[in-house]
């Protein structure tokens, strides 16, 4: 069954990695996942079709996170420890725009994101909650995410993104379901999006591979 939460137009709650939109963690960094709000839908008629028909952020707020290098404990005592800063954008209102613009308002590009140990110690207590700690050796809830459908250039703006639920990396889905939803194409036809949904999760040492929605033509 589709996710049943009521859908209100505007930024929607989503769980993301602080590093990238693929749920991946770089080497020598701790896993870190936070809740943000992202623009994924706009009112019918508010967007043009084509490259300008995407829900994008009209206004944003920056969320700053500082993390240690996970290899610090292995360093020689004569070497300084390393720490890094990441900035994730929280969408506070939405408008229409290009996909390139939206991609530029997910993660802030920082040329040199290394910070001093003093800066890290001063700021780490202000970090948002790392939701990876909610799933540790017990059954936990999958998290809501949104995916751009595979043929997004051919669907109307309202159908560019679909919601699904995914277990956090480091946990395994105990139960899954699969359902199809219909989306309107720019041509006037209808496409079918197949969505794989995680229902319940449990901590696990293996990898959890993300399933991406794809469109099939009628």
């Amino acid at each position: 069954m589709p996710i049943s939460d009521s859908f209100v137009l505007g930024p929607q709650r989503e769980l993301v990695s602080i590093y990238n939109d693929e749920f991946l963690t770089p080497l020598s960094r701790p896993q870190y996942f936070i809740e943000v709000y992202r623009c994924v839908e706009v009112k019918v008629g508010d967007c043009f079709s084509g490259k300008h028909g995407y829900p994008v952020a009209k206004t944003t707020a920056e969320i700053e996170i500082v993390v240690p290098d996970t290899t610090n404990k292995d360093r020689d005592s004569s070497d300084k420890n390393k720490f890094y800063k990441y900035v994730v954008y929280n969408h506070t209102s939405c408008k229409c725009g290009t996909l390139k613009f939206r991609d530029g308002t997910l993660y802030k590009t920082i040329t040199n994101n290394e910070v001093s140990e003093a800066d890290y110690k001063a700021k780490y207590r202000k970090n948002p909650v790392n939701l990876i700690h909610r799933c540790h050796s017990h059954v936990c809830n999958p998290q809501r995410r949104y995916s751009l459908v595979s043929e997004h250039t051919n669907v109307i703006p309202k159908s560019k993104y679909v919601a699904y639920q995914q277990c956090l990396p480091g946990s395994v889905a105990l139960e899954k379901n699969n359902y199809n939803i219909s989306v309107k194409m720019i041509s006037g036809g209808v496409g079918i999006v197949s969505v794989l949904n995680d229902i319940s999760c449990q901590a696990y040492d293996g990898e959890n591979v993300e399933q991406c929605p794809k469109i099939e033509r009628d």
Side-chain angles (χ1 to χ4, degrees):
M1 295 292 291
I3 297 173
S4 59
D5 291 358
S6 59
F7 198 95
V8 179
L9 295 179
Q12 299 296 305
R13 181 178 57 83
E14 180 177 16
L15 189 86
V16 300
S17 165
I18 68 168
Y19 305 109
N20 53 62
D21 205 33
E22 284 74 47
F23 242 38
L24 302 176
T25 299
L27 294 175
S28 77
R29 303 291 187 275
Q31 288 187 322
Y32 211 118
F33 299 88
I34 63 173
E35 281 187 353
V36 297
Y37 282 79
R38 294 278 169 81
C39 296
V40 295
E41 186 173 345
V42 289
K43 294 179 181 178
V44 175
D46 282 357
C47 265
F48 296 103
S49 297
K51 67 178 182 179
H52 296 292
Y54 290 82
V56 302
K58 182 178 181 180
T59 56
T60 62
E62 293 186 356
I63 303 173
E64 182 178 302
I65 307 98
V66 290
V67 297
D69 190 309
T70 57
T71 64
N72 281 345
K73 62 181 181 298
D74 301 321
R75 294 183 188 281
D76 186 276
S77 58
S78 62
D79 294 333
K80 71 172 185 177
N81 289 333
K82 293 185 176 182
F83 304 88
Y84 304 93
K85 176 177 74 174
Y86 293 88
V87 175
V88 180
Y89 288 111
N90 198 48
H91 295 177
T92 53
S93 64
C94 305
K95 64 177 183 178
C96 275
T98 64
L99 182 61
K100 182 178 180 180
F101 178 82
R102 183 182 192 275
D103 288 343
T105 56
L106 300 180
Y107 298 89
K108 186 173 184 178
T109 301
I110 304 173
T111 304
N112 180 9
N113 68 333
E114 189 169 346
V115 298
S116 67
E117 185 167 1
D119 281 344
Y120 171 76
K121 289 181 177 179
K123 295 179 178 180
Y124 82 93
R125 294 185 185 279
K126 298 179 182 178
N127 280 354
V129 174
N130 184 355
L131 299 180
I132 195 71
H133 300 309
R134 287 189 181 176
C135 191
H136 182 69
S137 300
H138 60 80
V139 176
C140 54
N141 295 325
Q143 302 296 322
R144 170 170 284 197
R145 302 199 69 207
Y146 289 89
S147 178
L148 190 66
V149 299
S150 60
E151 293 189 30
H152 54 88
T153 57
N154 296 320
V155 303
I156 65 172
K158 184 178 175 64
S159 300
K160 299 288 190 185
Y161 294 88
V162 294
Y164 66 103
Q165 295 185 139
Q166 181 182 358
C167 296
L168 285 167
S171 63
V172 62
L174 299 177
E175 182 182 357
K176 296 175 179 280
N177 70 5
N178 190 279
Y179 61 90
N180 294 329
I181 60 174
S182 299
V183 296
K184 292 184 178 180
M185 313 299 289
I186 293 174
S187 64
V190 176
I192 302 298
V193 178
S194 179
V195 181
L196 182 62
N197 228 26
D198 292 343
I199 303 301
S200 61
C201 316
Q202 189 170 34
Y204 180 63
D205 290 335
E207 292 185 357
N208 181 34
V209 179
E210 180 177 346
Q211 302 295 321
C212 297
K214 295 182 179 179
I215 282 187
E216 298 174 359
R217 294 282 190 175
D218 276 355

